[in-house]
mmCIF file of all heavy atoms in Angstrom:
data_model
loop_
_atom_site.group_PDB
_atom_site.id
_atom_site.type_symbol
_atom_site.label_atom_id
_atom_site.label_comp_id
_atom_site.label_asym_id
_atom_site.label_seq_id
_atom_site.Cartn_x
_atom_site.Cartn_y
_atom_site.Cartn_z
ATOM 1 N N LEU A 31 43.613 119.616 -32.714
ATOM 2 C CA LEU A 31 43.013 120.096 -31.480
ATOM 3 C C LEU A 31 43.922 121.162 -30.900
ATOM 4 O O LEU A 31 45.144 121.071 -31.015
ATOM 5 C CB LEU A 31 42.874 118.963 -30.444
ATOM 6 C CG LEU A 31 41.870 117.866 -30.752
ATOM 7 C CD1 LEU A 31 41.972 116.772 -29.710
ATOM 8 C CD2 LEU A 31 40.462 118.426 -30.766
ATOM 9 N N PRO A 32 43.370 122.145 -30.266
ATOM 10 C CA PRO A 32 44.241 123.115 -29.629
ATOM 11 C C PRO A 32 44.986 122.464 -28.473
ATOM 12 O O PRO A 32 44.420 121.731 -27.675
ATOM 13 C CB PRO A 32 43.278 124.197 -29.115
ATOM 14 C CG PRO A 32 41.918 123.817 -29.546
ATOM 15 C CD PRO A 32 41.980 122.505 -30.204
ATOM 16 N N GLY A 33 46.298 122.696 -28.388
ATOM 17 C CA GLY A 33 47.115 122.168 -27.303
ATOM 18 C C GLY A 33 47.438 120.685 -27.475
ATOM 19 O O GLY A 33 47.787 120.022 -26.510
ATOM 20 N N ALA A 34 47.313 120.142 -28.674
ATOM 21 C CA ALA A 34 47.569 118.718 -28.890
ATOM 22 C C ALA A 34 49.038 118.398 -28.660
ATOM 23 O O ALA A 34 49.376 117.321 -28.191
ATOM 24 C CB ALA A 34 47.170 118.310 -30.301
ATOM 25 N N GLY A 35 49.959 119.278 -28.934
ATOM 26 C CA GLY A 35 51.392 119.061 -28.697
ATOM 27 C C GLY A 35 51.680 118.938 -27.217
ATOM 28 O O GLY A 35 52.537 118.178 -26.791
ATOM 29 N N GLN A 36 50.987 119.686 -26.403
ATOM 30 C CA GLN A 36 51.190 119.618 -24.963
ATOM 31 C C GLN A 36 50.663 118.303 -24.396
ATOM 32 O O GLN A 36 51.253 117.749 -23.489
ATOM 33 C CB GLN A 36 50.489 120.798 -24.288
ATOM 34 C CG GLN A 36 51.127 122.124 -24.627
ATOM 35 C CD GLN A 36 50.337 123.282 -24.039
ATOM 36 O OE1 GLN A 36 49.281 123.088 -23.472
ATOM 37 N NE2 GLN A 36 50.869 124.489 -24.200
ATOM 38 N N VAL A 37 49.591 117.782 -24.925
ATOM 39 C CA VAL A 37 49.047 116.518 -24.436
ATOM 40 C C VAL A 37 50.025 115.398 -24.730
ATOM 41 O O VAL A 37 50.298 114.560 -23.896
ATOM 42 C CB VAL A 37 47.669 116.231 -25.069
ATOM 43 C CG1 VAL A 37 47.193 114.841 -24.720
ATOM 44 C CG2 VAL A 37 46.667 117.269 -24.614
ATOM 45 N N SER A 38 50.605 115.371 -25.901
ATOM 46 C CA SER A 38 51.537 114.309 -26.237
ATOM 47 C C SER A 38 52.812 114.427 -25.392
ATOM 48 O O SER A 38 53.385 113.423 -25.002
ATOM 49 C CB SER A 38 51.872 114.334 -27.729
ATOM 50 O OG SER A 38 52.564 115.523 -28.050
ATOM 51 N N ARG A 39 53.244 115.644 -25.116
ATOM 52 C CA ARG A 39 54.412 115.812 -24.245
ATOM 53 C C ARG A 39 54.099 115.324 -22.832
ATOM 54 O O ARG A 39 54.910 114.668 -22.194
ATOM 55 C CB ARG A 39 54.827 117.279 -24.192
ATOM 56 C CG ARG A 39 55.494 117.750 -25.442
ATOM 57 C CD ARG A 39 55.922 119.187 -25.307
ATOM 58 N NE ARG A 39 56.308 119.706 -26.599
ATOM 59 C CZ ARG A 39 56.124 120.928 -27.005
ATOM 60 N NH1 ARG A 39 55.543 121.804 -26.196
ATOM 61 N NH2 ARG A 39 56.510 121.307 -28.193
ATOM 62 N N LEU A 40 52.922 115.662 -22.346
ATOM 63 C CA LEU A 40 52.520 115.184 -21.030
ATOM 64 C C LEU A 40 52.426 113.660 -20.998
ATOM 65 O O LEU A 40 52.814 113.021 -20.017
ATOM 66 C CB LEU A 40 51.180 115.792 -20.624
ATOM 67 C CG LEU A 40 51.205 117.268 -20.239
ATOM 68 C CD1 LEU A 40 49.791 117.764 -19.953
ATOM 69 C CD2 LEU A 40 52.091 117.474 -19.034
ATOM 70 N N LEU A 41 51.939 113.089 -22.081
ATOM 71 C CA LEU A 41 51.847 111.642 -22.156
ATOM 72 C C LEU A 41 53.239 111.005 -22.144
ATOM 73 O O LEU A 41 53.482 110.028 -21.435
ATOM 74 C CB LEU A 41 51.079 111.225 -23.415
ATOM 75 C CG LEU A 41 50.869 109.729 -23.602
ATOM 76 C CD1 LEU A 41 50.000 109.176 -22.486
ATOM 77 C CD2 LEU A 41 50.242 109.452 -24.961
ATOM 78 N N ILE A 42 54.162 111.558 -22.886
ATOM 79 C CA ILE A 42 55.533 111.043 -22.927
ATOM 80 C C ILE A 42 56.193 111.178 -21.553
ATOM 81 O O ILE A 42 56.831 110.249 -21.054
ATOM 82 C CB ILE A 42 56.353 111.771 -24.015
ATOM 83 C CG1 ILE A 42 55.837 111.366 -25.384
ATOM 84 C CG2 ILE A 42 57.830 111.451 -23.886
ATOM 85 C CD1 ILE A 42 56.446 112.158 -26.522
ATOM 86 N N ILE A 43 56.027 112.305 -20.927
ATOM 87 C CA ILE A 43 56.609 112.522 -19.592
ATOM 88 C C ILE A 43 55.984 111.560 -18.586
ATOM 89 O O ILE A 43 56.666 110.970 -17.750
ATOM 90 C CB ILE A 43 56.430 113.996 -19.165
ATOM 91 C CG1 ILE A 43 57.315 114.900 -20.024
ATOM 92 C CG2 ILE A 43 56.762 114.175 -17.683
ATOM 93 C CD1 ILE A 43 57.058 116.378 -19.824
ATOM 94 N N GLY A 44 54.678 111.379 -18.676
ATOM 95 C CA GLY A 44 53.990 110.450 -17.775
ATOM 96 C C GLY A 44 54.471 109.015 -17.962
ATOM 97 O O GLY A 44 54.717 108.284 -16.989
ATOM 98 N N VAL A 45 54.618 108.603 -19.208
ATOM 99 C CA VAL A 45 55.100 107.245 -19.481
ATOM 100 C C VAL A 45 56.534 107.091 -18.984
ATOM 101 O O VAL A 45 56.896 106.059 -18.407
ATOM 102 C CB VAL A 45 54.982 106.922 -20.987
ATOM 103 C CG1 VAL A 45 55.736 105.656 -21.342
ATOM 104 C CG2 VAL A 45 53.520 106.797 -21.387
ATOM 105 N N ALA A 46 57.356 108.127 -19.190
ATOM 106 C CA ALA A 46 58.740 108.068 -18.714
ATOM 107 C C ALA A 46 58.786 107.977 -17.191
ATOM 108 O O ALA A 46 59.553 107.184 -16.626
ATOM 109 C CB ALA A 46 59.516 109.289 -19.200
ATOM 110 N N LEU A 47 57.987 108.771 -16.503
ATOM 111 C CA LEU A 47 57.949 108.704 -15.038
ATOM 112 C C LEU A 47 57.434 107.348 -14.554
ATOM 113 O O LEU A 47 57.940 106.789 -13.573
ATOM 114 C CB LEU A 47 57.079 109.832 -14.484
ATOM 115 C CG LEU A 47 57.678 111.246 -14.579
ATOM 116 C CD1 LEU A 47 56.667 112.271 -14.091
ATOM 117 C CD2 LEU A 47 58.958 111.323 -13.774
ATOM 118 N N LEU A 48 56.436 106.819 -15.261
ATOM 119 C CA LEU A 48 55.934 105.488 -14.906
ATOM 120 C C LEU A 48 57.012 104.427 -15.104
ATOM 121 O O LEU A 48 57.166 103.533 -14.278
ATOM 122 C CB LEU A 48 54.689 105.163 -15.745
ATOM 123 C CG LEU A 48 54.004 103.835 -15.444
ATOM 124 C CD1 LEU A 48 53.459 103.832 -14.026
ATOM 125 C CD2 LEU A 48 52.894 103.583 -16.444
#
Side-chain angles (χ1 to χ4, degrees):
L31 291 174
Q36 293 175 355
V37 172
S38 65
R39 286 182 192 146
L40 287 176
L41 182 64
I42 291 172
I43 291 171
V45 168
L47 288 176
L48 183 64

